Amino acid sequence: MAMRVAGAGKKAGAALGGAALLLVALAGAAVLLVALAGAAVLLVALAGAAVLLVALAGAAVLLVALAGAAVLLVALAGAAVLLVALAGAAVLMVALVAAALLLLVVGLALAGQRCC
């Protein structure tokens, strides 16, 4: 009878040892799952950093576009200055034509006094 009890005790001990090993394996699997979850969180953080870099690149493109708009405004201001200069040249040409006509009238008047 003692042998039977001892044999049953050995079997129970072996079963408990196997259960303990199974629990250790399950705990290891749980630790592995936690590590994988940490890796997933890291990947999400890296994706967020990539999105931030894309947003910063978009801001840089926007700054370049604004700089281009500033250059365009400077060019338009230059065109406005050119138009003012052309208008000044037109006024000068009108003044020169008026002066030429005045000289013509004075010359004709002087010529008319000499003739008659």
Side-chain angles (χ1 to χ4, degrees):
M1 175 119 184
M3 295 281 262
R4 284 189 195 171
V5 171
K10 282 184 182 179
K11 288 181 183 177
L16 285 175
L21 287 176
L22 182 61
L23 285 175
V24 169
L26 287 175
V31 169
L32 182 61
L33 284 176
V34 169
L36 288 175
V41 169
L42 182 61
L43 285 176
V44 169
L46 288 175
V51 169
L52 182 61
L53 286 176
V54 169
L56 289 175
V61 169
L62 182 61
L63 285 175
V64 169
L66 288 175
V71 169
L72 182 61
L73 285 176
V74 170
L76 288 175
V81 169
L82 181 62
L83 284 176
V84 169
L86 288 174
V91 169
L92 182 61
M93 291 181 91
V94 168
L96 287 175
V97 168
L101 288 175
L102 182 61
L103 286 174
L104 180 64
V105 168
V106 169
L108 289 175
L110 289 175
Q113 282 182 355
R114 285 187 189 165
C115 288
C116 302

